[in-house]
Amino acid sequence: MNTYTLPLGPVHVALEEPVYFNLTVEGETVRNVNLTSGHVHRGMEAMAAQRNFVQNATLTERVCSLCSNSHSFTYCMAVENVTGLTIPRRAIFLRTMAEEIKRIASHLFNTAIQAHIIGFKSLFMHTMEVREMVQDLKETVYGNRMNLAQNCIGGVKCDLTPEKFTYILGVLEKVEPAVDELREIFATNSMVIGRTKGLGLLPKADALRLGVVGPVARGSGVAIDVRKNSPYAAFPELKFNMITHDDCCIYSRTRVRLDEIFESIGLVRQCCRMTPEGPTTKHLQRVPVDEACARSEAPRGEVFYFIRTYGTDVPQRLKWRVPSYMNWEALGVMMKDCKVADVALITNSIDPCVSCTER
Amino acid sequence: MQDTLRDNTYITKNIAVLCANGGDVRHSTDAFSNPFHWFTLDNPRLLTKAAEALRNAGARLCMITAYNTRQLGDPMQQVCYHFECERAIINITVILNGEWPTVPSITPLFANADWHEREMMELYGIAVANQPNPRRLFLDEELDQGLLKNSVPLSVMMNGASSSALWERILSDKGAAS
């Protein structure tokens, strides 16, 4: 059978952001995947080298929308590492809480988009409705639905009153059974199962070879989670499980995300109970000439920041790597010999973020 | 801190020997006692050996950072490779200068190095020897390689936006057209 090249994107109804696939197709079957990106490259790392440390907390929060909090969080940790700043305990817990609330919303969004691509519109709307409760929570507590602006160098900006903690616990009481219901649908509905089980395979050996992280790695049985492997913030004091599934398919990755939502709900509840009284910020004293790294577990996996200072209030170099950066290459393995109709669904299963990748 | 360093003896020993003649080795921890090891290799050619030692130890490549150490004049550049191994972050820096202008590719050892190497080639103009896939990553072929390596005069960057130069050029073009 003859092969031909099928272009997909950069603007496509099933792609959230612009990316261009050149698929080598034989009949209905994809034989090779070639990826061209760069449509939303904004030169953010060059911009960061022209802004001071405080301005960069705002800039890094705008790298991405769904994991915006993870960027400012990790950036602040990198600055704190390079300056030797230890933040107050209350701030450590409040940061952790904001991060986990964002994770719940991010995982629900990805799951909703999966239902949308499958064509299961009512499930898409149902999932988005559940997510809306978390969006309302963010708006009520932080004043913003997406960019929480919670992290600052030395602590957090938004302190929470006891009433807010009670409110959060109340919302989680409603979110938890709703997500449980969703998990049941995603696990048993024949339409969802038919499109996700056994498709988009990423064997464990390939996951390790390509260095993928986050739910993509954990869905292929690779036990990697920065919160467990290299604990930071309040995670060493909190109880939670690392979720892994080893089916290596789209369904496996969705299960990791849905199960993780329950772990995140548990983490937020623990934070509500355990957050100690005290100050929420500490002043930055001086900036030495040095370099430091920091990493954290964003909803999509490990976010890595490197900062190099030369004694001024502007970094000499600020570099970051997002989880999607490696996950794109894994698509080549996942799409090998898949049907053209499954390309968008497989792409969604890595929870892709183009803005993050290209910066 | 000594405990956290002891866990990585194999790596620290194997890489420290590559930094013995003019290189540098130091160790640090963050506020949560996570260890960071910093190595500056004697020369970029030793990178392959360091990467092999890390691969044998089961390390994972996290990121590669390229940067200029001088803004103007001196063309010195550095590349820092960040690896993760048994909860420690191992940072390996190589210095590129007139004597050692290229760095070997580690993509044959770590598949995910491909994108990082291509990015530093297009943005910083760093020469990566034996890169198996030396295509552009994000930027179009029409843009010059190594944009962040060059200093652009402010007047060129502003394109006459802060003076009357641009306006006069438009006026003269308009005059020529009519």
Side-chain angles (χ1 to χ4, degrees), chain A residues 34-39 41 45-46 77 81 85-87 92 208-213 224 226 229-234 236 290-295 302 304-308 310 316-321 324-326 328-329 357-359, chain B residues 26 28-36 38 40 60-71 78 80 82-89 91 93 109-112 114-120 122-124 133 135 137-139 148 157:
Chain A
N34 215 332
L35 185 82
T36 306
S37 47
H39 305 87
H41 178 81
E45 285 176 9
M77 281 204 295
N81 285 351
L85 187 68
T86 310
I87 68 166
I92 288 176
L208 289 169
R209 177 178 63 83
L210 295 167
V212 296
V213 289
I224 178 173
V226 186
N229 304 139
S230 171
Y232 59 97
D290 208 345
E291 53 194 359
C293 306
R295 60 191 185 125
E302 179 199 63
F304 197 105
Y305 267 73
F306 169 77
I307 190 166
R308 203 180 146 88
Y310 48 4
Q316 183 187 13
R317 179 77 165 106
L318 181 66
K319 162 89 180 164
W320 60 92
R321 196 234 57 231
S324 299
Y325 203 78
M326 292 85 67
W328 286 111
E329 281 290 300
T357 309
E358 296 175 9
R359 291 150 281 134
Chain B
R26 65 193 174 87
S28 65
T29 54
D30 66 7
F32 307 100
S33 303
N34 293 311
F36 297 86
W38 303 85
T40 306
R60 175 174 61 89
L61 176 73
C62 292
M63 187 169 82
I64 304 177
T65 310
Y67 50 89
N68 303 322
T69 43
R70 300 280 186 283
Q71 287 291 319
Q78 293 188 10
C80 186
H82 315 270
F83 295 89
E84 187 256 331
C85 189
E86 294 170 13
R87 89 175 265 239
I89 297 293
N91 302 283
T93 305
L109 295 165
F110 294 91
N112 59 337
D114 179 38
W115 276 39
H116 292 286
E117 286 177 350
R118 282 161 65 191
E119 188 173 325
M120 69 190 192
E122 70 181 17
L123 286 178
Y124 283 88
N133 184 23
R135 291 183 296 134
L137 182 66
F138 296 137
L139 301 186
L148 292 179
M157 194 163 72

Side-chain angles (χ1 to χ4, degrees), chain A residues 219-282:
Chain A
S220 291
V222 181
I224 178 173
D225 187 329
V226 186
R227 295 175 295 174
K228 282 280 187 202
N229 304 139
S230 171
Y232 59 97
F235 292 111
E237 298 174 49
L238 304 175
K239 288 192 177 69
F240 67 102
N241 297 315
M242 190 201 299
I243 307 288
T244 53
H245 287 291
D246 47 15
D247 297 331
C248 308
C249 59
I250 303 177
Y251 176 65
S252 185
R253 295 188 270 279
T254 310
R255 273 176 76 194
V256 169
R257 290 191 187 101
L258 286 168
D259 289 350
E260 271 184 8
I261 295 175
F262 292 90
E263 298 301 322
S264 295
I265 290 174
L267 284 165
V268 177
R269 281 191 180 131
Q270 289 176 62
C271 286
C272 286
R273 273 202 317 272
M274 293 167 68
T275 303
E277 290 298 323
T280 52
T281 48
K282 199 170 171 189

Side-chain angles (χ1 to χ4, degrees), chain A residues 335-348:
Chain A
M335 288 183 188
K336 190 97 179 100
D337 300 334
C338 79
K339 298 288 175 214
V340 174
D342 293 329
V343 167
L345 196 57
I346 293 174
T347 307
N348 181 68

Side-chain angles (χ1 to χ4, degrees), chain A residues 141-155:
Chain A
V141 175
Y142 304 104
N144 298 315
R145 283 165 60 88
M146 287 311 284
N147 293 350
L148 305 184
Q150 170 67 326
N151 300 299
C152 64
I153 296 163

